[in-house]
Amino acid sequence: MKKYNNGYSIVEIMLLFVIIGLVVFIGAYVWHVRNTVRLTGSQNGSAALTTKLVRLDESANGKTIDVKQGTIISVELNTTNWTFKPISDPSIAKQSNQIVRQGLTTCRALQDCGNVSVRIQALQRGKAVAQATKEKCGELVYCTGSAVGFSVEIKIN
């Protein structure tokens, strides 16, 4: 087998790159898990969060979350029927444009597969409300009751 710089073969060099890649991947994954929290709700309807990235979904509907200034809140709602309203107080929290991600190509017509999301940055102390609404809850079925809206109060400390 042909030897390269420092007497290593191409197989040994490639193996070294694979090991380095795995170490970097595992390190990035551990960092991501430690710096990400998914709010699943608490018994009293509020939760104290101190991480830099907070992920919310439909389970946060009607809840109040406490975050620190600078925290990024990612709100992701299932189905593409949701439309986010502007944040209630843009001086307290800055909301990104809505992002729509379409579902897999195996999704059937009229299922509204995918999700919509926004990112919200906690700017300064105060309260702001993130809201979204939807008209349809499936194939040509209009939503009723609590299925029509999503709302989460963000309390910034």
Side-chain angles (χ1 to χ4, degrees), residues 32 34 42 58 132-133:
H32 173 74
R34 286 187 176 177
S42 64
E58 285 90 346
T133 58

Side-chain angles (χ1 to χ4, degrees), residues 29-47:
Y29 178 76
V30 168
W31 180 88
H32 173 74
V33 169
R34 286 187 176 177
N35 289 293
T36 304
V37 173
R38 181 176 280 289
L39 178 67
T40 57
S42 64
Q43 292 182 356
N44 66 1
S46 68

Side-chain angles (χ1 to χ4, degrees), residues 51-55 68 70-74 119-122:
T51 59
K52 293 288 183 197
L53 176 63
V54 176
R55 293 179 185 245
K68 294 195 178 296
T71 301
I72 303 293
I73 302 125
S74 175
R119 287 207 168 203
I120 301 166
Q121 182 177 11

Side-chain angles (χ1 to χ4, degrees), residues 131-148:
Q131 295 180 314
T133 58
K134 65 179 176 176
E135 285 185 18
K136 295 196 177 156
C137 287
E139 245 181 77
L140 305 175
V141 177
Y142 286 95
C143 298
T144 59
S146 63
V148 173

Side-chain angles (χ1 to χ4, degrees), residues 67-73 87 89-95 120-126 154 156-157:
V67 298
K68 294 195 178 296
Q69 287 176 281
T71 301
I72 303 293
I73 302 125
I87 195 86
D89 190 342
S91 69
I92 301 294
K94 179 182 176 184
Q95 180 174 304
I120 301 166
Q121 182 177 11
L123 299 175
Q124 62 179 337
R125 289 177 168 250
I154 302 164
I156 303 164
N157 299 314

